[in-house]
Amino acid sequence: MRILHVSDCYLPRVGGIEMHLHDLVQHQREAGHDVHVLTTTPAGPGADADPGWVRRTGQGSTPSAIGLRPAEAELARLLRETPVDVVHVHVSVFSPFATLAARQSSALGVPTLVTVHSMWSQLGPLPRLAQSVLRLRRWPIAWSAVSERAAEPLRDMLGPDIAVRVLANAVDPAQWRSSVVPDQVPTIVSVMRLTHTKRTLPLARMLERVRAALPTDTDVRAVIIGDGPQRAALARYLRRHHMDDWVDLPGRLDRAAIHDELSRGALFVAPATLESFGIAALEARSAGLPVVASSRSGVGEFITSGIDGLLAETDDVMVEQMVRLLTDHRLRAAMSAHNRLVPPRHDWDTACRRTHELYELAAARADTGVVRRAVAVPARVSRRSA
C-alpha cells in the first residue's frame, strides 16, 4: 500500500503528533508499505539529512497564506505524479496546511483519513467557524481522533450523522518495561512540553503542596523532563519557593534517558486537562509507574483509576492522590506490580491494524463522495492490501 502522511507538525519538533507520526511511519514501512511524509515543519539548523520518504515544503510550522500556496501546489503535483492509495492527515488545534491537504486530496477522490490529535473543546467558536467556512461536513473523508475525549467535541461540531472513530496512540510496551529497582527516595516523574497548555506552573504549585502535606521526615524528589517556552518561568518559581534542591529540570531527554528516569521513579503525574491522549503517561504506565492524571483528559483512555493509577477531577484532588501514593506503600506497590505484569492494550500491532481498518473506511467514503477530477487515479484500498 502507498500511504502519504500530511502534517504541519513533524520532527525535529518534539510533541505527541511528531513522535506518534514518526513511530507509525516506521512500523508501516517495516510492514512493507510504501510510506511518505509531507510536512511544513523545517528541518532545523544542523539537522541530519532527511530520509528520502520525508518531504518538507512551505514556510515552516506556522506558514502564512502566501507560504501555503506553494505547499498546496506541491501536494497537488505529488498526488498527480505519484498516485497514492490513501492520504492520512494529522491535525492539531492549528494545522492550516494539513486542513488544506484534506480538502484537496478528498476533492481529487483520494481516500483520506483525518486524525485529530488535540482537544477541540474550550476553543470557543473556532471549530464551528472552521466547519462553517470550510464546510467540513461535505468533505468525503473518514474522521478519527486519538481518544474518546478528543472525539467528543469533534462529534458535536460535525453532527450525529458524521462518524468520528477513535484511532488511539500507541507505544511498544516491551521497550519501556524495566527490572530496575526504584530509588529509595520516591521520585515523582513528569514528561511534557513546558507550555501553558500542559499546565507547567500549576504542576509546580501542586508539587509544592505535596511536599508540604508529607511528614517532615519523608524525603521526596521530582523530575520534570522536557523543554518549552515556560521553562525559564518554571525555574524561577522553583528557586523562589526553595524547591530547586529537590525538583530537577534536566531539559529535553532522548528515550533512553527517559526510560532510565521512569525505571527509577515512584509515580508519574500528567497535570494537563486538555491532554488528548497522553503518550508520555502511557510510556510511564508501560514502565510500571502508577499514573496520576486529570480525569478530564484523554489519559483515562488507558488508566483505570484505582488499578493503573489515580485520576483526579481537580488540582486539589491530584495533590491528594500524589500524597496518597507516596505514603501508602502497599497501594503504590500493588499498582506498580499490576502495570509491570499487565501490558497496556495500546500497542503498535493494535494501532497499525486499527489504522488500516480506517483506511478501508476512507476508501469507502471516497467511493460515495465527489466525482473524481481529471488526475491520476490512485488504486483502491482493499482488505487484502490492508
Side-chain angles (χ1 to χ4, degrees), residues 316-327:
D316 289 345
V317 177
M318 195 172 294
V319 169
E320 293 173 1
Q321 303 291 41
M322 283 190 277
V323 172
R324 181 183 175 192
L325 283 173
L326 290 170
T327 55

Side-chain angles (χ1 to χ4, degrees), residues 47-353:
D48 295 335
D50 285 323
W53 44 266
V54 175
R55 296 178 65 164
R56 300 182 189 270
T57 185
Q59 301 295 312
S61 58
T62 55
S64 65
I66 295 175
L68 280 175
R69 283 198 287 269
E72 191 175 13
E74 181 170 351
L75 172 64
R77 185 171 58 253
L78 181 63
L79 292 176
R80 286 183 170 90
E81 295 173 353
T82 313
V84 300
D85 294 301
V86 65
V87 173
H88 191 165
V89 177
H90 304 262
V91 300
S92 183
V93 173
F94 181 70
S95 300
F97 176 57
T99 303
L100 290 176
R103 182 178 67 180
Q104 185 175 93
S105 61
S106 62
L108 293 173
V110 182
T112 303
L113 172 67
V114 173
T115 300
V116 175
H117 291 257
S118 299
M119 298 278 278
W120 282 12
S121 57
Q122 299 184 25
L123 294 179
L126 288 178
R128 290 197 178 277
L129 177 62
Q131 200 279 111
S132 176
V133 172
L134 298 174
R135 300 184 179 181
L136 303 179
R137 284 175 43 82
R138 298 187 180 183
W139 296 3
I141 63 179
W143 290 94
S144 64
V146 295
S147 67
E148 284 291 341
R149 284 287 186 179
E152 289 169 3
L154 188 58
R155 290 171 182 146
D156 289 342
M157 182 187 75
L158 294 173
D161 56 324
I162 303 294
V164 179
R165 296 170 172 86
V166 173
L167 179 57
N169 293 153
V171 300
D172 179 358
Q175 178 184 3
W176 295 98
R177 196 170 298 125
S178 175
S179 58
V180 176
V181 177
D183 290 343
Q184 288 189 339
V185 175
T187 300
I188 303 168
V189 183
S190 189
V191 182
M192 63 183 191
R193 291 194 69 235
L194 303 183
T195 64
H196 174 77
T197 302
K198 297 296 184 179
R199 306 190 71 239
T200 302
L201 294 182
L203 173 60
R205 289 191 284 270
M206 283 189 278
L207 291 176
E208 183 181 17
R209 293 173 57 194
V210 168
R211 172 66 274 184
L214 291 172
T216 55
D217 60 347
T218 300
D219 290 329
V220 67
R221 173 177 172 262
V223 55
I224 304 174
I225 301 167
D227 206 347
Q230 287 208 303
R231 179 172 181 176
L234 175 60
R236 287 194 299 271
Y237 185 95
L238 297 180
R239 287 195 301 270
R240 186 165 61 249
H241 294 267
H242 309 290
M243 299 170 63
D244 52 346
D245 60 338
W246 63 276
V247 181
D248 296 331
L249 302 179
R252 174 179 167 182
L253 301 179
D254 61 23
R255 281 177 165 170
I258 293 174
H259 178 275
D260 183 60
E261 289 288 355
L262 292 176
S263 67
R264 295 185 290 110
L267 64 94
F268 185 91
V269 59
T273 56
L274 292 178
E275 189 72 76
S276 58
F277 183 81
I279 294 177
L282 180 57
E283 292 168 347
R285 186 251 179 264
S286 301
L289 272 68
V291 173
V292 177
S294 170
S295 60
R296 292 178 285 168
S297 74
V299 175
E301 194 82 10
F302 53 88
I303 294 296
T304 299
S305 194
I307 297 177
D308 313 273
L310 297 169
L311 300 179
E313 181 68 23
T314 66
D315 288 359
D316 289 345
V317 177
M318 195 172 294
V319 169
E320 293 173 1
Q321 303 291 41
M322 283 190 277
V323 172
R324 181 183 175 192
L325 283 173
L326 290 170
T327 55
D328 190 336
H329 306 295
R330 181 175 297 180
L331 175 64
R332 191 170 82 232
M335 288 185 176
S336 295
H338 171 270
N339 290 355
R340 291 176 188 274
L341 292 173
V342 181
R345 59 187 176 88
H346 293 88
D347 57 30
W348 277 110
D349 285 344
T350 302
C352 288
R353 184 166 55 251

